Amino acid sequence: MEEQAKIVKDLLELNVNDHTESKNGLRYLSWAWACTEAIKQDPDFSYEVQMFDGKPYVYDENLGYMVFTTVTLGGMQKSMQLPVMDNANKAQKSVEYNYETKSGVKTVQAATMFDINTAIMRCLAKNLALFGLGMYIYAGEDLPQELEDPVNPLTPEQKAAKKAREAEDYKKQAIINRER
């Protein structure tokens, strides 16, 4: 149990900012880097893509595709799911469809196996966040809290700059949400 607690603590404190990608105002952690960090913590790290009738997804004609992964790390096992989405984070289905926004009609293309594979790997990175790796990204923070040095706390100027970045990220996300 101590080893498991150490793995989670180490991953929670790890700054992943140099290994993220941004798309449409959202940050994603590189799955390859995330897996490398998991292997450093536990060489026996493994993951499984859940299969449904021989396919790596569940499909509903009204809702779209969903993928699932299960990660085993340090003797702990956790599962995660993620919808297959386009670049605007809209659910993809087996056929293209249109939706209206304030700026006009948009089209969501039918999902391809590439889209499904991309979703699986993003699901894996998200699954690893359940163990602490990059969890602060999903909480909308800039840095893991433990990385803020208690001996040398942020100056008022640094705190103001951090708040300004957070406000800017919030505005970008609000614009994206309005366009949906």
Side-chain angles (χ1 to χ4, degrees):
M1 196 61 103
E2 256 181 61
E3 179 185 333
Q4 292 174 339
K6 181 181 179 334
I7 288 172
V8 171
K9 180 181 183 304
D10 290 349
L11 292 176
L12 278 169
E13 292 179 354
L14 190 60
N15 185 337
V16 302
N17 288 346
D18 289 341
H19 307 284
T20 61
E21 302 160 18
S22 291
K23 198 174 236 182
N24 293 331
L26 299 175
R27 287 194 311 171
Y28 298 93
L29 182 59
S30 158
W31 69 265
W33 188 83
C35 287
T36 299
E37 291 306 312
I39 291 167
K40 287 179 186 176
Q41 292 292 323
D42 176 9
D44 293 325
F45 151 77
S46 65
Y47 76 94
E48 179 182 344
V49 176
Q50 298 194 17
M51 303 295 280
F52 304 88
D53 294 324
K55 297 175 183 161
Y57 57 81
V58 170
Y59 180 73
D60 179 273
E61 65 183 42
N62 295 313
L63 301 173
Y65 292 91
M66 182 78 76
V67 297
F68 299 79
T69 60
T70 299
V71 167
T72 303
L73 182 65
M76 300 173 282
Q77 192 173 67
K78 299 177 187 291
S79 296
M80 179 54 66
Q81 71 287 331
L82 190 73
V84 177
M85 300 176 286
D86 70 358
N87 289 337
N89 291 323
K90 290 291 189 185
Q92 289 182 284
K93 300 179 183 181
S94 63
V95 295
E96 76 175 38
Y97 68 94
N98 295 322
Y99 65 98
E100 290 191 37
T101 68
K102 291 181 181 178
S103 59
V105 175
K106 306 266 181 168
T107 300
V108 177
Q109 297 298 315
T112 65
M113 284 310 295
F114 182 84
D115 297 318
I116 291 168
N117 184 66
T118 299
I120 289 169
M121 301 322 283
R122 285 185 180 159
C123 186
L124 173 59
K126 186 178 176 186
N127 203 161
L128 284 165
L130 293 177
F131 295 89
L133 183 61
M135 179 62 86
Y136 65 92
I137 292 172
Y138 296 96
E141 299 173 11
D142 288 337
L143 291 173
Q145 293 203 316
E146 286 72 19
L147 291 180
E148 291 185 17
D149 186 349
V151 177
N152 299 305
L154 295 176
T155 66
E157 293 82 12
Q158 290 170 321
K159 286 181 183 177
K162 181 179 176 185
K163 281 201 179 279
R165 282 192 309 274
E166 289 170 355
E168 188 61 34
D169 288 345
Y170 179 80
K171 286 179 189 173
K172 286 178 186 174
Q173 189 59 47
I175 291 168
I176 290 167
N177 290 339
R178 267 193 305 239
E179 290 179 354
R180 291 184 186 161

